[in-house]
Amino acid sequence: EADELLAALRRGPMRVGDAQHRNWIRYETRSLPGGRVAWKYDPNVTQGFVPTDLWDYVQRMTAPTLYLLGADSTIVPPETQRRLKALGPHIEVVSVPDAGHYPHQETPEVFLAVVRAFLAG
């Protein structure tokens, strides 16, 4: 049920607060028989994922680029971050402390400050 899901989200790594958790439950779940809830997503969404080498495209980028990620996220490993930084001074990699995969939601003030500083040049 929704209360159980809320309790599980509170125990999880996302530090977005109850308001965001409740929004996710309200808009991103569906009710099942018996009072249970399930996430709204296509279970086949990952079936088409294959390793994709995008480095040729990244190396061609010349515009100033900000790659912002949460320091607690494990999605982009440190070696990938180092490789991005090594491609040139036009790529800035910023790791936001105390944030996971969603720094824009977990630490919005820090996220906005980093983006504003980047855009200001």
Side-chain angles (χ1 to χ4, degrees):
E1 71 180 37
D3 290 338
E4 290 175 19
L5 180 55
L6 179 59
L9 289 170
R10 286 176 177 154
R11 289 188 303 272
M14 295 290 295
R15 293 173 287 278
V16 296
D18 275 0
Q20 183 62 50
H21 287 151
R22 288 180 195 283
N23 277 337
W24 286 340
I25 292 169
R26 180 175 181 190
Y27 297 109
E28 298 182 29
T29 65
R30 57 189 172 88
S31 297
L32 299 176
R36 307 240 351 126
V37 294
W39 292 107
K40 292 180 193 174
Y41 73 94
D42 180 350
N44 294 318
V45 71
T46 59
Q47 298 303 313
F49 286 178
V50 294
T52 305
D53 186 356
L54 299 175
W55 288 109
D56 286 341
Y57 299 102
V58 174
Q59 289 174 337
R60 287 189 238 163
M61 294 171 27
T62 58
T65 304
L66 173 64
Y67 194 97
L68 192 143
L69 67 153
D72 298 338
S73 176
T74 58
I75 291 177
V76 181
E79 59 271 11
T80 302
Q81 295 175 44
R82 285 190 293 275
R83 188 170 177 189
L84 280 168
K85 289 178 187 179
L87 289 176
H90 66 286
I91 298 179
E92 183 176 349
V93 179
V94 176
S95 181
V96 177
D98 299 318
H101 188 57
Y102 302 100
H104 61 291
Q105 291 179 330
E106 296 173 56
T107 55
E109 297 83 13
V110 174
F111 173 83
L112 288 173
V114 170
V115 170
R116 285 181 178 130
F118 175 79
L119 293 175

